[in-house]
């Protein structure tokens, strides 16, 4: 099977290890022995044309952009929300925590469904729920904060269905370097959408004088995305790009899927690395605008917000920084991966490790320098975010080539569940709780409101270092796990007959 351009043969030692691993596990995802000629022909006919595939990726990117815009619109108007509902830091952090918890708990459900049922219909249903609940959350009055929490939890339904399944569709539309490029386009909209969430959220709130209008724009744009999903997204056969559309692939039980993934060392270690990254990015994304605002109040640059609308300039600037650094970071990461992959088999996790380890000191300096210099803080935030953004597209590509096609939605779901459970589901609330605890220990002054949040944010660089170490562990196993996945996708054919490419 050739999916890229550079073909390698497996060494004898690799053959023995891979044959042993494959023979000891069910041939899940292998080519069906009972497949008829008519079935093969129908699969080939079901593969979309290149033009339709590119259009599908464009639509998926658009919806991904909206997902992340909505996720960080709340953070962009957080000062207004805190003032409106009269809530402290830990309670405000719950807005992100309940959303992520819902997203996390539902991801395995959609992963199971996505490997077995019509993926297009699942995404359409999830996006419909997202539109209704996001719009509904904009009509909550100040006496019903708990209803806003409930609505934010329900918003996670739509994102769980989409984020779990969309990358697997791209994986079935493209292979080789084309897949890497398409995945990079898809994931570049994570930082771009996040940044636009701050910018548009704060801009709409300022223009209208009402933060709730910031939550009403995304559902309108989401309705356009829903129509595009229905009209333009195909449901390609699972594994179509890996088998060149010539074979159907079999499923086994969900329990066997889980057991196999837990034995995949590259998947396990990279998932832990993603978890550390989610902890850092989730905490910083939620609290940085508030942190910068408090720094400027403490320095006497601006007055404290006593009534709505609050000054959301920091949300606007931070959003713009996030958009630019996200585009630059993803582009650099993708370029490095494409150039180094042919020369260094474990280049992908090494790039991820470098990004995490290098970003930690930059984020540490950004947090510490905020006491004296806001411009210096923005500089180091920009460098740190660029380094973190190296990983977005690479992480998705790693999962796609170390996991066989018919297990990818389940793998996406498990990774989402773990990274949110131990990552950004709790980090906004945890840092808010630490900030409140520190603030209660000292007089309630502007200085200590800033200091308490500053000290809690210092946890992020240390978690970033831990994530870098997890990616270094991934680098030890990724070459072997990738070859094993290619053999299984080819139906367990003898290793000598299976070329292994250096591009996904």
């Amino acid at each position: 099977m050739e999916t890229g351009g550079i073909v390698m043969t497996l060494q004898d030692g690799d053959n023995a290890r891979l044959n042993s691993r494959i023979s000891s596990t069910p041939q899940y995802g292998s080519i069906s022995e009972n497949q008829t000629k008519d079935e093969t022909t129908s699969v080939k006919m079901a593969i979309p044309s290149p033009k339709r595939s590119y259009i599908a990726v464009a639509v998926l990117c658009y919806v991904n952009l909206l997902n992340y815009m909505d996720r960080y619109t709340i953070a962009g108007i957080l000062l207004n929300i805190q003032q409106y509902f009269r809530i402290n830091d830990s309670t405000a952090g719950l807005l992100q925590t309940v959303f992520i918890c819902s997203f996390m708990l539902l991801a395995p459900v959609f992963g199971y469904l996505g490997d077995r049922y019509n993926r297009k219909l699942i995404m359409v249903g999830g996006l419909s729920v997202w539109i209704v609940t996001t719009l509904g959350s904009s009509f909550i009055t100040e006496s019903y904060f708990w209803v806003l929490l409930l609505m934010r939890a329900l918003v996670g339904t739509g994102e769980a269905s989409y984020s779990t399944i969309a990358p697997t569709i791209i994986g079935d539309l493209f292979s080789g370097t084309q897949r890497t490029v398409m995945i990079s386009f898809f994931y570049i909209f994570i930082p771009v959408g996040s940044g636009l969430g701050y910018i548009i959220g704060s801009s709409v709130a300022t223009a209208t004088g009402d933060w709730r209008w910031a939550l009403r724009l995304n559902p309108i744009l989401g309705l356009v995305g829903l129509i595009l999903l229905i009209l333009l997204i195909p449901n390609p056969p699972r594994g179509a790009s890996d088998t060149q559309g010539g074979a159907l692939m079999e499923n086994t039980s969900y329990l066997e899927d889980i057991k196999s993934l837990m034995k995949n060392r590259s998947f396990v270690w990279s998932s832990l690395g993603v978890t550390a990254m989610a902890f850092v990015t989730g905490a910083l994304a939620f609290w940085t605008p508030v942190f910068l605002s408090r720094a400027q109040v403490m320095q006497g640059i601006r007055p404290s917000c006593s009534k709505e609308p609050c000054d959301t300039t920091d949300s606007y600037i931070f959003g713009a920084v996030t958009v630019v650094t996200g585009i630059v970071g993803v582009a650099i990461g993708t370029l490095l991966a494409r150039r180094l992959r042919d020369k260094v088999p474990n280049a992908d996790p090494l790039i991820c490790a470098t990004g995490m380890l290098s970003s930690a000191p930059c984020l540490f300096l950004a947090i510490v320098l905020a006491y004296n210099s806001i411009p210096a803080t923005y500089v180091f935030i920009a460098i740190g975010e660029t380094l973190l953004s190296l990983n977005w597209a690479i992480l998705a590509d790693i999962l796609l080539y170390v996991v066989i096609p018919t297990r990818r939605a389940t793998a996406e779901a498990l990774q989402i569940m773990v990274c949110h459970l131990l990552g950004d589901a709790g980090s906004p609330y945890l840092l808010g709780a630490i900030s409140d605890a520190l603030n209660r220990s000292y007089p309630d002054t502007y200085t200590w409101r800033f200091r308490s949040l500053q000290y809690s944010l210092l946890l992020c660089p240390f978690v970033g270092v831990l994530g870098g170490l997890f990616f270094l562990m991934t680098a030890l196993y990724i070459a072997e796990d990738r070859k094993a996945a290619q053999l299984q996708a080819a139906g367990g054919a003898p290793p000598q007959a299976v070329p292994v490419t250096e591009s996904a």
Side-chain angles (χ1 to χ4, degrees), residues 363-364 367-368 431 453-463:
L363 296 176
F364 180 84
I367 295 167
V368 171
L431 268 61
L453 189 54
Q454 181 188 45
Y455 293 152
S456 65
L457 284 170
L458 287 174
L459 181 61
C460 292
F462 294 100
V463 176

Side-chain angles (χ1 to χ4, degrees), residues 9 15 127 153 160 213 283 323 444 448:
T9 56
N15 291 347
L127 186 58
W213 279 103
V323 170
D444 187 16
W448 267 107

Side-chain angles (χ1 to χ4, degrees), residues 128-376:
S128 300
V129 173
W130 173 78
I131 292 171
V132 172
T133 52
T134 301
L135 183 62
S137 66
S138 69
F139 294 98
I140 308 301
T141 60
E142 63 267 27
S143 302
Y144 294 94
F145 178 72
W146 65 271
V147 178
L148 179 61
L149 287 176
L150 177 62
M151 287 292 187
R152 291 306 296 173
L154 292 175
V155 168
T157 303
E159 291 209 26
S161 66
Y162 186 80
S163 298
T164 303
I165 294 172
T168 70
I169 291 181
I170 297 176
D172 288 335
L173 291 174
F174 299 94
S175 63
T177 56
Q178 275 191 312
R179 176 190 291 168
T180 301
V181 172
M182 293 302 108
I183 285 291
S184 69
F185 277 125
F186 180 79
Y187 277 91
I188 205 170
F189 286 99
I190 292 180
V192 171
S194 302
L196 288 178
Y198 295 107
I199 295 171
I200 295 176
S202 60
S203 298
V204 171
T206 300
T208 61
D210 187 348
W211 60 269
R212 286 167 292 196
W213 279 103
L215 298 179
R216 293 168 186 166
L217 176 62
N218 291 332
I220 297 173
L221 299 175
L223 186 60
V224 176
L226 181 64
I227 295 172
L228 293 176
L229 274 182
I230 294 172
L231 297 179
L232 300 177
I233 296 299
N235 185 39
R238 292 168 180 83
S241 64
D242 298 84
T243 59
Q244 304 301 314
L248 297 174
M249 305 189 80
E250 297 178 336
N251 292 85
T252 58
S253 71
Y254 189 65
L255 181 60
E256 289 177 344
D257 295 354
I258 302 298
K259 287 180 178 179
S260 179
L261 289 170
M262 291 302 99
K263 294 177 182 177
N264 188 323
R265 295 163 297 182
S266 297
F267 172 75
V268 171
W269 285 112
S270 63
S271 295
L272 291 175
V274 175
T275 300
M277 184 176 171
F279 184 100
V280 174
T281 56
L284 292 175
F286 194 79
W287 285 116
T288 296
V290 174
F291 173 66
L292 292 171
S293 177
R294 290 184 185 179
Q296 293 176 76
V297 171
M298 184 268 303
Q299 294 176 26
I301 298 175
R302 71 167 58 152
S304 175
C305 178
S306 57
K307 64 177 182 179
E308 294 183 72
C310 298
D311 188 343
T312 56
T313 303
D314 293 300
S315 294
Y316 189 90
I317 298 174
F318 182 66
V321 170
T322 300
V323 170
V324 174
T325 58
I327 294 173
V328 173
V330 172
I332 293 174
T334 303
L335 180 63
L336 289 174
R338 292 180 63 185
R339 291 197 173 184
L340 295 178
R341 218 175 259 167
D342 294 341
K343 302 173 183 178
V344 184
N346 57 355
D348 287 351
L350 289 178
I351 294 171
C352 292
T354 301
M356 290 291 288
L357 294 173
S358 301
S359 68
C362 295
L363 296 176
F364 180 84
L365 289 172
I367 295 167
V368 171
L369 291 175
Y371 182 82
N372 299 311
S373 174
I374 298 299

Side-chain angles (χ1 to χ4, degrees), residues 183 187 267 269-271 273-275 277-278 341 348-349 352-353 356 388-402 412 415 471 474:
I183 285 291
Y187 277 91
F267 172 75
W269 285 112
S270 63
S271 295
V274 175
T275 300
M277 184 176 171
R341 218 175 259 167
D348 287 351
C352 292
M356 290 291 288
L388 285 174
S389 296
L390 295 178
N391 301 357
W392 285 119
I394 298 175
L395 291 172
D397 217 10
I398 288 175
L399 185 145
L400 289 174
Y401 65 64
V402 300
E412 289 276 1
Q415 192 171 87
F471 285 123
T474 307

Side-chain angles (χ1 to χ4, degrees), residues 52-110:
R52 191 182 179 193
S53 297
Y54 289 126
I55 293 174
V57 171
V59 174
L60 293 175
C61 287
Y62 172 72
V63 179
N64 201 37
L65 174 75
L66 296 182
N67 274 335
Y68 280 87
M69 279 177 57
D70 174 73
R71 186 180 299 192
Y72 291 104
T73 295
I74 289 287
I77 56 176
L78 188 59
L79 283 172
N80 289 295
I81 292 175
Q82 284 188 288
Q83 186 66 33
Y84 182 78
F85 289 104
R86 300 291 178 183
I87 54 177
N88 58 19
D89 288 350
S90 57
T91 305
L94 283 175
L95 286 169
Q96 191 74 346
T97 296
V98 296
F99 164 77
I100 295 296
C101 284
S102 169
F103 182 60
M104 168 193 71
L105 293 174
L106 290 170
V109 176
F110 288 112

